[in-house]
Amino acid sequence: MTLVSLTINRRRTPLRNATLVFVVIALVAAVFADFELIALKPWGELAKIFAGALTPKFLDAERLIEAAVTTLALALLGVMAAAMIGFALTFIYRHRAVRSVCAFLRNIHELFWALMLMQVFGLTAATGLLALVIPYSCIFAKIYSELLGETDPQPAAAIPGPVGGFTRFLFARLPDTMTQLGTYTAYRLECGIRSSTIMGFVGLPTLGFHLETAFSQGDYGGAWAILYLTYAVIATLRWWFRPRLLPIYIIAAMFILPLNSGIEMSHFIRFFTSDIVPAPLARGDGLEGFLPWITMMATEQIGPGLASTLILTQIALVLSGLVALIAVPLVSRQFGGPVSRIAGHLALVVTRSTPEYIIAFVLLLVWGPSMLPAVVALAIHNGAIVGHLTGRLADDLTLRPDAIGGFNRYTWEVLPRVYGQFLAFLFYRWEIIFRETAILGILGIHTLGFYADSAIAEFRLDRATLIIVVTGVCGMGIEAMSRRIRTRLKLTTSVEEAKES
Amino acid sequence: MAYFSLDDAQARYGGKTILRNLNLTIERGERVAILGRSGVGKTSLLNLLYRQHAEEIALVPQDFGLVRSLTVFHNIYMGQLSRHRLPYNFLNLIHPVAREVALAKRVTDRLGLTEKLFDRVGELSGGQRQRVAIGRAFYFNGPTIIADEPVSALDGARSREILKLITDQHKTVILAMHDIPLALDQVDRVVGIADGQIVLDAKTTGLNRSSLYDLGLVDD
Amino acid sequence: MRRLPIALLLCVIFWFPKTTLSQTLTFSAIPDQDESRLIERFTLVELYLEEKLGIDVSYVPVKSYAAAITAFRNDQVQLAWFGGLSGVQARLAVPDSEVLAQGIEDQAFKTYILANTETEVEPGPELDPRILGSTFTFGSKGSTSGRLMPEFFLRELFRHAPDELFDRVGFSGDHSRTIDLVEAGAFEFGAVNYEVWESELARGQIDTSKVQVIWETPAYPDYQWTARGDLRAQFGPDILNRLRQAFLELDDPKVLAAFPRSGFVPAHNDDYLPVLDIARSIGLIDPARESSRP
């Protein structure tokens, strides 16, 4: 009897097995990773950065406000346009082709879009807008479709008489989903503000432009002033972002961003017919020239780039999980006192709302361009998000009054109940971590982004395009794998969780 | 040819056959109650019948099929969606037209819902929601109604009154009921289901009520 | 609440380059140094050119060498202060563009190889082979003095690509950062634009007990002003000559010190052919692209 139950128990530990597999992969990856600290006094510089947090300098207020307004205008227009396009796409989203194209487009990071679009539109509003609109539309199409798909089918079935599909949708499906669509859109606007900030790092005149300057020049007080401004804009979103005021905002944003500047058809045509055509083909060398070219790209750039991107992704994924597991007891009502909880929340809010790109940028400045700063940046940002979500779940648990306390409470009462959900959250971050890892290459770590950035610096857009396309396809692969693992582990995948992505 | 006719039909639910050997005809103008214990397959039988003339039947499903975030007016107006063009429907969704409001009010007056006309359905009680579902059927104003336990959430006096409204408003009436005395007052034919089959099909006049218990049509 | 949108409207200022409206000459420069220094310098140039030519001139800062070239290529800037390599790339992208002038120092520019003093590698007429196997940082990937030329001379001296010569190769982004990184010891060695080194040294920004110059490269042509040929359509057929003349006559010590250059001399596209050859020889420019646009 005992024997039987033991064997049964051993068989049924898919969550533990999955965890083990990923930890082992990360450990193997760590063997190949490069974690050197390339600075003699990295901690002194880091201390200066933290000191800057306490003494922010709002010196050039006028320029900051200009940049903040541009950041907001870009985010607002981009996200709203993307929401409309994404909504329209839901009507054809059931087609496999549409789903695949969307999956591909949204797996290319907005910074990659910005870098490529800059070749066509230059440093204009159009570059920033399209870089937001393209991936965001595809994200909206996916999430909106899922939200609409989750509505109760009964009301639509209960409409008497022959009623057209669109009317049915308008009356029976849309109203009950409106609130959720609105909440998700507002959440995306928050992401949009972060994305549009980041675009300053490649030269658009948003807050990131000045943030990059300030950090690069060691003006940490000035840099923190900009970060605080970003936090303030995002934190006050719920007070000023009202659907009623939206039309006014959009009109204002259109005035602020001159949409007609610098868009020329000839640049567009040149981009597609000449810039991104592989050099040997453009030269007319045909297959004979193309084969060595593609072999060179595969072995010298894509191969090594992809390898280090994957190594970094797997390590960062597991470390994110670790950070999250440490964070949960710090923020959950089930543990600790109010002081530790407030401190925990504060730490998570800051790391959660600072894009990993900025965290990595700062850590790279002080620790040098090895994988270490990248892994740390990815782990604390994503760990904070997963920890926050899991902590909320833990808060919702009702434990027996006689439940044990302390560490045992965490490992015996709380963790077993939330672990599946925790893994689901983490697997949702997987493809995002991959995308971010690729993009961090722009900062000098030798992931795919490094080779894409180098190709752009050398004006070889054909190479850059190829690398970016490979990145998108691999992102799709990881997304599919993550979905398959979640299904196999029977982890619920409701849309709510996708929100933080 | 009969209005509704099932010829050795079967009904499946969740991959299992729950009703078989169904032979049933219903003529226009008949008022029929389907009786049986809960879970026996009354709803499945109603669905089979509904599909035969879906375009002209006002349906009151057991779970009402209402849109919770729309108002009582909107949910009632949805009974008329098939009679209007998309722009007019859209206009009513955004800004209810006075004429439609007046018409809807006539329905809510009879159902005692007028003061709730612009409340969201999600904020109403179960009984009120049930009346909204019936209101939509009235607004549809078709010749036939199929109603699944249409008064289950209402109290005695009111349920009798509303059931009478339902039968008065429609030429052909098919009800799934489990309050047998209430049903028998309003219909002229009963069909009983037990053990996956039709076990009774009779006029109400001269029906021996105790036989309903013997046939296992009543919840214990 | 209601007043906010109005405030937003009032904030309407056009920050993006106003190419379509303009009788404005917009120019940019490769971001090879701290941005505040660049803004300081090019604001002076902006004022000087406006006064000299009597047209609106505006400077647009960019974040990368590639962005400067792209802006030039897409006609969002019509004039630019490029390095040797970025200038060659820009002129390949815009075939009728012309070199106007270069600094006196740019005729024979140099790169300094820096060493952190803890490496104990001393200055000498030859580059000490002890730097091999160490950590080494270039400047920007697209820089002439910070990347192209030092890479070329390293390959000449040691017959291998930098990746194979050093334990780790970095790209700091700009010259100021290269100095900082080597001074901090983040990299043991680095390659830096000699003018940036000299001017930061003069401003007392460098701790010479931590970082020193151990070698200088042979001379090569570097920075230059390049303008788009189609400027003529907008500002008249003699605009390129007027611009060239303006640079040659630039003698305001304040403006010159900001570069820092002692003056400007005429220069021509052909002066930079050696740079093009070098870029091609180390594979930074595809022969195909080049031959397709002579």
Side-chain angles (χ1 to χ4, degrees):
Chain A
M1 199 60 201
T2 329
L3 198 68
V4 172
S5 66
L6 263 181
T7 48
I8 287 171
N9 282 342
R10 281 216 186 122
R11 261 186 226 145
R12 292 187 179 174
T13 51
L15 294 187
R16 194 192 64 183
N17 291 349
T19 311
L20 265 178
V21 168
F22 275 84
V23 169
V24 168
I25 293 175
L27 287 176
V28 173
V31 174
F32 298 99
D34 148 36
F35 283 141
E36 207 173 322
L37 210 57
I38 316 167
L40 294 187
K41 293 200 183 92
W43 307 109
E45 205 63 17
L46 206 57
K48 274 197 219 162
I49 289 178
F50 281 113
L54 303 176
T55 53
K57 283 186 300 189
F58 293 87
L59 283 184
D60 200 346
E62 194 189 330
R63 265 206 321 170
L64 282 193
I65 289 168
E66 277 181 20
V69 170
T70 311
T71 308
L72 270 180
L74 191 61
L76 254 170
L77 275 191
V79 172
M80 289 308 134
M84 279 188 272
I85 296 170
F87 186 76
L89 282 173
T90 59
F91 293 99
I92 50 169
Y93 200 71
R94 60 180 180 280
H95 297 294
R96 199 194 169 88
V98 177
R99 278 207 311 273
S100 309
V101 170
C102 281
F104 174 68
L105 295 180
R106 72 166 177 266
N107 266 302
I108 292 174
H109 196 282
E110 55 263 27
L111 266 190
F112 276 146
W113 281 114
L115 283 173
M116 290 311 279
L117 289 163
M118 208 175 279
Q119 307 305 321
V120 187
F121 301 116
L123 283 172
T124 59
T127 298
L129 263 183
L130 283 176
L132 269 185
V133 168
I134 296 171
Y136 276 44
S137 304
C138 298
I139 296 172
F140 274 127
K142 178 182 179 223
I143 303 291
Y144 282 175
S145 297
E146 284 174 17
L147 285 172
L148 289 166
E150 277 175 15
T151 50
D152 183 6
Q154 292 294 340
I159 298 176
V163 171
F166 187 65
T167 311
R168 225 171 258 279
F169 169 82
L170 214 54
F171 276 82
R173 266 172 149 33
L174 190 56
D176 276 348
T177 329
M178 271 310 246
T179 327
Q180 278 169 290
L181 296 182
T183 315
Y184 185 77
T185 311
Y187 164 74
R188 263 288 137 196
L189 180 64
E190 204 179 307
C191 303
I193 294 173
R194 281 197 285 262
S195 296
S196 101
T197 304
I198 294 285
M199 280 180 201
F201 279 73
V202 296
L204 292 171
T206 62
L207 282 170
F209 190 95
H210 304 294
L211 194 58
E212 201 262 1
T213 307
F215 269 126
S216 300
Q217 296 181 186
D219 172 16
Y220 300 132
W224 276 100
I226 297 169
L227 281 178
Y228 286 141
L229 195 59
T230 322
Y231 298 150
V233 168
I234 291 178
T236 55
L237 203 61
R238 73 181 76 167
W239 288 298
W240 58 264
F241 182 64
R242 300 277 165 83
R244 220 173 268 274
L245 296 174
L246 208 53
I248 306 176
Y249 287 150
I250 288 177
I251 291 167
M254 291 212 264
F255 269 102
I256 289 163
L257 299 180
L259 294 171
N260 56 349
S261 66
I263 299 174
E264 273 187 42
M265 209 53 206
S266 62
H267 298 165
F268 207 71
I269 293 167
R270 182 186 65 193
F271 181 76
F272 283 105
T273 58
S274 144
D275 287 355
I276 66 168
V277 179
L281 297 183
R283 201 186 309 149
D285 290 356
L287 205 59
E288 236 164 276
F290 182 71
L291 281 179
W293 182 83
I294 197 88
T295 315
M296 179 278 294
M297 284 303 291
T299 55
E300 289 174 24
Q301 308 206 357
I302 294 171
L306 189 58
S308 48
T309 307
L310 287 175
I311 286 173
L312 202 53
T313 303
Q314 292 314 114
I315 299 173
L317 179 70
V318 170
L319 284 183
S320 299
L322 195 65
V323 169
L325 289 180
I326 293 170
V328 169
L330 293 178
V331 295
S332 169
R333 277 196 297 114
Q334 308 283 2
F335 311 93
V339 177
S340 74
R341 222 162 38 234
I342 288 171
H345 272 297
L346 208 63
L348 287 204
V349 165
V350 170
T351 40
R352 207 168 74 221
S353 34
T354 313
E356 51 258 81
Y357 191 83
I358 294 177
I359 304 179
F361 179 82
V362 173
L363 292 180
L364 268 157
L365 281 184
V366 296
W367 290 346
S370 78
M371 286 190 181
L372 183 70
V375 162
V376 172
L378 289 164
I380 60 181
H381 176 77
N382 292 290
I385 289 172
V386 175
H388 165 73
L389 291 172
T390 315
R392 268 205 323 221
L393 272 186
D395 281 351
D396 292 341
L397 295 177
T398 329
L399 299 185
R400 291 161 49 140
D402 63 345
I404 197 163
F407 189 66
N408 283 327
R409 185 189 190 87
Y410 186 40
T411 49
W412 286 89
E413 294 279 359
V414 175
L415 215 45
R417 291 189 171 92
V418 298
Y419 196 74
Q421 222 31 56
F422 157 78
L423 277 190
F425 294 146
L426 201 57
F427 281 128
Y428 259 110
R429 301 303 299 179
W430 195 10
E431 78 228 31
I432 298 162
I433 292 176
F434 176 81
R435 262 200 309 269
E436 288 292 337
T437 307
I439 207 76
L440 290 184
I442 297 177
L443 299 175
I445 308 146
H446 288 219
T447 61
L448 285 164
F450 175 83
Y451 296 97
D453 181 61
S454 302
I456 289 172
E458 291 163 18
F459 264 75
R460 287 164 158 155
L461 303 184
D462 50 341
R463 297 185 181 187
T465 307
L466 180 67
I467 295 168
I468 290 173
V469 166
V470 168
T471 313
V473 172
C474 292
M476 278 170 81
I478 286 188
E479 193 183 325
M481 208 170 352
S482 152
R483 194 167 46 238
R484 184 170 295 184
I485 292 174
R486 288 196 312 262
T487 318
R488 176 163 300 182
L489 295 180
K490 299 195 177 63
L491 302 175
T492 49
T493 54
S494 86
V495 182
E496 190 57 26
E497 292 124 44
K499 245 188 78 170
E500 286 289 339
S501 35
Chain B
M1 173 106 189
Y3 186 30
F4 291 101
S5 94
L6 295 174
D7 181 17
D8 204 21
Q10 49 176 327
R12 299 171 65 82
Y13 183 82
K16 280 198 302 192
T17 305
I18 54 165
L19 296 174
R20 48 187 181 275
N21 308 330
L22 294 174
N23 288 295
L24 181 67
T25 56
I26 297 172
E27 300 294 339
R28 279 183 204 277
E30 278 197 280
R31 283 135 198 245
V32 184
I34 316 275
L35 304 180
R37 290 181 179 175
S38 50
V40 78
K42 287 176 298 212
T43 302
S44 303
L45 176 56
L46 290 185
N47 282 340
L48 281 181
L49 296 173
Y50 174 70
R51 259 177 253 140
Q52 296 193 347
H53 298 282
E55 68 288 345
E56 60 176 52
I57 293 171
L59 183 72
V60 182
Q62 200 166 10
D63 50 14
F64 315 146
L66 299 175
V67 183
R68 298 165 55 90
S69 30
L70 291 181
T71 65
V72 170
F73 164 78
H74 284 107
N75 271 283
I76 288 178
Y77 175 81
M78 284 170 76
Q80 285 276 5
L81 284 179
S82 59
R83 315 268 165 86
H84 300 293
R85 287 175 180 282
L86 179 62
Y88 187 74
N89 285 336
F90 188 68
L91 178 65
N92 272 290
L93 182 64
I94 306 290
H95 183 82
V97 174
R99 200 176 76 91
E100 300 293 337
V101 176
L103 286 172
K105 225 164 155 187
R106 263 196 249 164
V107 173
T108 50
D109 280 343
R110 271 179 288 166
L111 295 170
L113 273 174
T114 301
E115 64 188 63
K116 302 276 181 196
L117 193 58
F118 287 103
D119 284 10
R120 279 169 199 269
V121 163
E123 294 156 8
L124 302 184
S125 71
Q128 289 166 330
R129 284 183 205 180
Q130 189 158 44
R131 280 180 279 153
V132 176
I134 295 167
R136 181 191 291 179
F138 286 180
Y139 208 64
F140 177 65
N141 201 13
T144 306
I145 187 166
I146 291 185
D148 196 349
E149 302 285 358
V151 292
S152 59
L154 304 178
D155 57 53
R158 179 154 254 169
S159 62
R160 190 170 303 276
E161 179 192 327
I162 286 184
L163 203 59
K164 187 160 171 11
L165 276 175
I166 291 176
T167 45
D168 288 351
Q169 287 275 317
H170 299 89
K171 197 161 157 248
T172 311
V173 176
I174 302 173
L175 305 170
M177 294 284 290
H178 86 219
D179 184 337
I180 290 175
L182 191 60
L184 294 185
D185 280 355
Q186 298 293 336
V187 299
D188 37 41
R189 178 179 168 194
V190 291
V191 172
I193 308 178
D195 302 326
Q197 305 192 40
I198 293 176
V199 293
L200 170 78
D201 187 347
K203 295 277 174 211
T204 38
T205 44
L207 183 72
N208 178 358
R209 296 194 178 193
S210 67
S211 70
L212 299 177
Y213 293 86
D214 301 338
L215 285 167
L217 298 177
V218 181
D219 282 324
D220 300 318
Chain C
M1 203 71 224
R2 292 245 165 221
R3 242 177 262 152
L4 188 63
I6 299 161
L8 283 181
L9 272 172
L10 289 177
C11 286
V12 171
I13 304 167
F14 288 75
W15 295 286
F16 291 94
K18 298 170 248 184
T19 59
T20 44
L21 323 164
S22 63
Q23 276 308 311
T24 303
L25 173 70
T26 311
F27 76 98
S28 190
I30 49 170
D32 59 342
Q33 242 182 309
D34 278 359
E35 194 182 301
S36 48
R37 306 261 299 131
L38 295 179
I39 289 178
E40 194 183 310
R41 175 200 301 169
F42 290 109
T43 311
L44 292 173
V45 173
E46 195 179 282
L47 294 173
Y48 171 76
L49 287 179
E50 282 193 341
E51 192 194 289
K52 197 87 182 167
L53 301 174
I55 55 176
D56 281 342
V57 179
S58 126
Y59 164 65
V60 182
V62 293
K63 277 288 177 211
S64 67
Y65 285 47
I69 302 169
T70 307
F72 186 78
R73 184 190 191 202
N74 287 349
D75 199 17
Q76 284 162 338
V77 304
Q78 295 85 42
L79 171 72
W81 176 243
F82 283 126
L85 175 61
S86 44
V88 165
Q89 288 172 319
R91 289 188 297 278
L92 284 176
V94 185
D96 71 337
S97 52
E98 275 183 36
V99 173
L100 301 177
Q102 60 181 184
I104 290 172
E105 289 81 352
D106 295 308
Q107 304 170 85
F109 214 78
K110 288 177 291 193
T111 295
Y112 283 163
I113 303 295
L114 306 180
N116 186 285
T117 45
E118 288 185 22
T119 62
E120 292 175 359
V121 174
E122 291 301 320
E126 303 294 327
L127 184 54
D128 194 326
R130 277 190 293 160
I131 72 166
L132 301 182
S134 63
T135 60
F136 189 97
T137 184
F138 290 107
S140 164
K141 285 172 188 166
S143 164
T144 308
S145 55
R147 198 261 172 107
L148 177 70
M149 286 302 166
E151 175 167 346
F152 172 70
F153 290 117
L154 285 169
R155 282 174 185 259
E156 286 261 297
L157 284 171
F158 301 113
R159 301 277 148 212
H160 284 284
D163 278 344
E164 299 156 25
L165 297 176
F166 299 105
D167 183 35
R168 178 190 298 279
V169 173
F171 292 96
S172 71
D174 65 53
H175 301 296
S176 310
R177 265 200 75 66
T178 303
I179 300 172
D180 289 348
L181 286 172
V182 179
E183 184 178 311
F187 284 90
E188 292 170 285
F189 300 92
V192 73
N193 172 323
Y194 90 107
E195 278 292 357
V196 173
W197 169 270
E198 297 293 354
S199 81
E200 304 245 324
L201 195 63
R203 294 199 302 140
Q205 300 273 312
I206 300 173
D207 182 350
T208 46
S209 71
K210 292 191 180 146
V211 56
Q212 61 175 343
V213 177
I214 55 164
W215 188 63
E216 60 178 62
T217 64
Y220 54 84
D222 203 345
Y223 291 78
Q224 86 292 151
W225 285 103
T226 297
R228 289 179 63 100
D230 52 13
L231 263 182
R232 294 190 186 94
Q234 211 180 344
F235 294 100
D238 62 339
I239 182 67
L240 295 193
N241 287 330
R242 286 169 62 208
L243 271 170
R244 178 177 285 131
Q245 209 51 41
F247 287 122
L248 300 185
E249 287 166 13
L250 176 53
D251 56 2
D252 181 343
K254 217 171 80 184
V255 185
L256 288 173
F259 269 91
R261 296 290 185 273
S262 45
F264 288 93
V265 294
H268 303 280
N269 292 15
D270 290 350
D271 296 343
Y272 290 88
L273 282 177
V275 177
L276 175 61
D277 289 340
I278 287 172
R280 216 187 284 150
S281 76
I282 68 172
L284 275 179
I285 291 179
D286 272 341
R289 293 278 144 141
E290 188 259 322
S291 66
S292 68
R293 290 198 202 94

